[in-house]
Amino acid sequence: MSGRLSGRFVSRKPAGEKSPPKITPGIILIAIAIFIYAINAAGLYPTAELHPLVEAVLYVAFFAAVFANEKVKEAFGPKFHSRVLYALFLVFLTVAGASGGVVSGLKWAPLIPAACFVFNRDFKNAAIITAASFFGFIHSIAAYTSADYFLYLSLLLGSVLFHLTSAVPHKDEGEGFKNIETQKESKHFKTVIYGLLESIFRLYHDVLKPVSIILFLRDDDGNLVHTISVSKKENMVDRYYSFGIKEGVVGAGLSKGTFFSFDARGVRMPYYTSMVPVISAATIPVVLNKMIGGIALDFERDIEGEKEALRERLKNLTEEVVGVMELFDINHKVITKEQRVSYLYEINGKLNLMDGKSGLIKKFFEEVRVFDVYSGYLAEYIPEENSFAVTESFNYPSSVAGVKFPARDNEILRYCMDSGKPVVVEEASKKNINLNMKRMNIERTLVSLLKNGDHIYGFIKLDKEKEYTFSEFEVKTLEMIFSRITIML
């Protein structure tokens, strides 16, 4: 099991070849929305005064639509929820504008979606809706009263301030675990793990009676980050403290690779915000195949006579920490596997024959990057030459287009054609595989034939860099997607 607990699951999206811009349904809807808003802002429609009863009925209808959107939020997701609110805003704005604009009894209706965004703590969109509502009636700005200005300004400033304060990064109690969760289940499990570790450290604090005992875990950059502390001077512990290995007295101690104690008289322990007088201090690394963190503690007494007992107890503590971290690691791997299976099936559903062959392959390459696929290409079969020629690629130089591989002269392609099975090549950088076109950073390669019955259409090649693998479930699900691509081709 790898000891690299921070950052190893971060999905990379390598910069591949850029697709030419194309008009999508999303772009069309945005254009329509801008057009409707522009008409409202300019007041390019006739207006009519509405009876108060009609206005009341419309308000009820608006609230009913908003309520229904809130009810289905969990089922359809936040993106759908936000899009519906923006659509309702345009409807409210248009109806209010057509019934008098600033002087209409419906002039506050466009702010209903803003209130929903505030309720959902989405202050950024609340501010956008508030500002857009104000400028939506700009054609009749002369009718605005001082009360109108005050209300709009208050709502706008409130939303902006709430957004800025909510955007300030707060240090998570389990900061040392950052960047290793991917789903809600993992986040919830992280909280449980943090609570378990904290209870273990409180127990050891009661037994060893130090001033402070602190756990540091490595982050993505290899720095050691404050994760858990139990201290008599809790208000003086810097919860944002981080350091590099060999940096400062704690880093120097951990770099020894084993239990290390030292006289700390007159030493300012760097994880305190100010000077805390201590007499002795000790450190011990936390190792899971390699060092994933460290523990530091300091005392108001001389520990020279109890060093051996302290060494054994801290060794037991590191073993407990490693056991908890392994439990977290196993849980995360299960969640990640389930998530990746789900993504692979989503990719299958996104492939669309209407995009044409080039669009189909580009869409496939775009989607599989989330699985750490670094590069790849499609090579189509030329029957009269019994060879394959590269026609589509991503993260390869444009010069690879048209490169040919004779089918029978290549061992990998010959195996794929004879067996009909995909091939995963390990340590590809050491084997000088011509399919890799001399790219030395490619560590694993998946080659799969696109074949339907006796008819060969070509092959797809996907690459991964060092430390990224093609798991069995990925290969099997990719085979299913390859089959669909073959049918579409």
Side-chain angles (χ1 to χ4, degrees), residues 376-443:
Y377 59 75
L378 164 69
E380 295 187 58
Y381 185 59
I382 307 173
E384 56 272 19
E385 298 179 11
N386 194 24
S387 65
F388 298 87
V390 177
T391 55
E392 302 286 345
S393 67
F394 87 93
N395 217 21
Y396 270 88
S398 57
S399 58
V400 304
V403 172
K404 294 183 179 181
F405 302 101
R408 285 296 161 185
D409 293 349
N410 187 287
E411 182 181 356
I412 295 174
L413 296 179
R414 191 165 59 247
Y415 173 83
C416 289
M417 293 179 73
D418 292 341
S419 67
K421 297 178 180 178
V423 174
V424 176
V425 182
E426 301 285 342
E427 298 183 329
S429 60
K430 298 179 182 179
K431 296 178 180 178
N432 195 27
I433 299 170
N434 67 336
L435 297 181
N436 286 346
M437 303 184 192
K438 299 182 179 180
R439 304 189 75 178
M440 299 306 296
N441 61 322
I442 295 173
E443 193 66 20

Side-chain angles (χ1 to χ4, degrees), residues 13 107 166 203 214 239 303 332 355 367 391 424 461:
K13 292 190 176 181
K107 69 178 181 180
S166 64
L203 175 61
I214 302 175
R239 295 182 176 276
I303 60 171
H332 182 81
D355 293 332
E367 294 293 333
T391 55
V424 176
K461 175 178 176 290

Side-chain angles (χ1 to χ4, degrees), residues 88-107:
L88 290 173
F89 162 73
L90 287 173
V91 173
F92 296 171
L93 185 68
T94 302
V95 174
S99 58
V102 176
V103 298
S104 169
L106 296 170
K107 69 178 181 180

Side-chain angles (χ1 to χ4, degrees), residues 141-403:
I141 193 170
Y144 274 120
T145 66
S146 57
D148 292 333
Y149 282 113
F150 176 77
L151 182 59
Y152 275 111
L153 187 60
S154 299
L155 288 172
L156 181 61
L157 290 178
S159 297
V160 171
L161 288 174
F162 276 120
H163 171 67
L164 291 176
T165 55
S166 64
V168 174
H170 297 287
K171 184 173 180 70
D172 188 15
E173 288 183 318
E175 184 70 21
F177 293 106
K178 66 182 179 180
N179 291 331
I180 55 177
E181 74 269 21
T182 57
Q183 290 294 303
K184 290 181 180 179
E185 294 89 343
S186 185
K187 290 179 181 177
H188 295 161
F189 194 72
K190 182 185 91 171
T191 304
V192 174
I193 291 297
Y194 177 83
L196 179 57
L197 284 173
E198 186 178 44
S199 65
I200 292 171
F201 273 74
R202 289 196 180 281
L203 175 61
Y204 274 82
H205 187 271
D206 291 342
V207 173
L208 301 176
K209 301 189 184 312
V211 177
S212 301
I213 180 169
I214 302 175
L215 171 66
F216 299 95
L217 290 179
R218 274 191 162 174
D219 65 7
D220 295 353
D221 301 320
N223 293 321
L224 291 151
V225 179
H226 174 286
T227 304
I228 292 172
S229 61
V230 181
S231 175
K232 296 177 183 177
K233 308 284 186 180
E234 199 69 50
N235 62 326
M236 299 179 71
V237 175
D238 183 358
R239 295 182 176 276
Y240 293 87
Y241 178 64
S242 65
F243 59 96
I245 194 67
K246 298 184 180 180
E247 182 182 325
V249 293
V250 180
L254 291 173
S255 68
K256 306 290 184 184
T258 186
F259 171 81
F260 179 74
S261 62
F262 55 95
D263 190 319
R265 291 179 179 88
V267 176
R268 183 184 181 281
M269 301 306 289
Y271 44 75
Y272 291 123
T273 55
S274 58
M275 184 69 179
V276 174
V278 294
I279 295 176
S280 305
T283 62
I284 189 169
V286 178
V287 179
L288 180 56
N289 291 336
K290 64 180 181 180
M291 194 174 84
I292 63 170
I295 297 169
L297 59 171
D298 53 65
F299 302 85
E300 295 173 316
R301 65 182 188 274
D302 190 333
I303 60 171
E304 185 63 28
E306 53 184 294
K307 280 172 61 174
E308 290 308 314
L310 184 60
R311 183 198 308 270
E312 286 303 310
R313 283 176 172 168
L314 288 179
K315 182 181 176 183
N316 292 337
L317 174 57
T318 61
E319 289 174 353
E320 290 194 55
V321 171
V322 166
V324 172
M325 297 302 288
E326 284 182 317
L327 181 63
F328 182 88
D329 195 40
I330 291 169
N331 173 80
H332 182 81
K333 284 181 177 178
V334 170
I335 291 173
T336 301
K337 180 175 179 179
E338 292 175 352
Q339 180 190 14
R340 289 195 167 199
V341 169
S342 174
Y343 275 147
L344 285 167
Y345 277 95
E346 285 181 18
I347 291 172
N348 188 53
K350 288 179 180 179
L351 298 180
N352 190 346
L353 185 61
M354 298 301 292
D355 293 332
K357 180 183 69 177
S358 180
L360 172 72
I361 299 302
K362 280 184 168 60
K363 184 66 175 176
F364 169 74
F365 284 150
E366 178 185 321
E367 294 293 333
V368 294
R369 295 182 193 184
V370 73
F371 303 107
D372 310 310
V373 173
Y374 175 77
S375 56
Y377 59 75
L378 164 69
E380 295 187 58
Y381 185 59
I382 307 173
E384 56 272 19
E385 298 179 11
N386 194 24
S387 65
F388 298 87
V390 177
T391 55
E392 302 286 345
S393 67
F394 87 93
N395 217 21
Y396 270 88
S398 57
S399 58
V400 304
V403 172

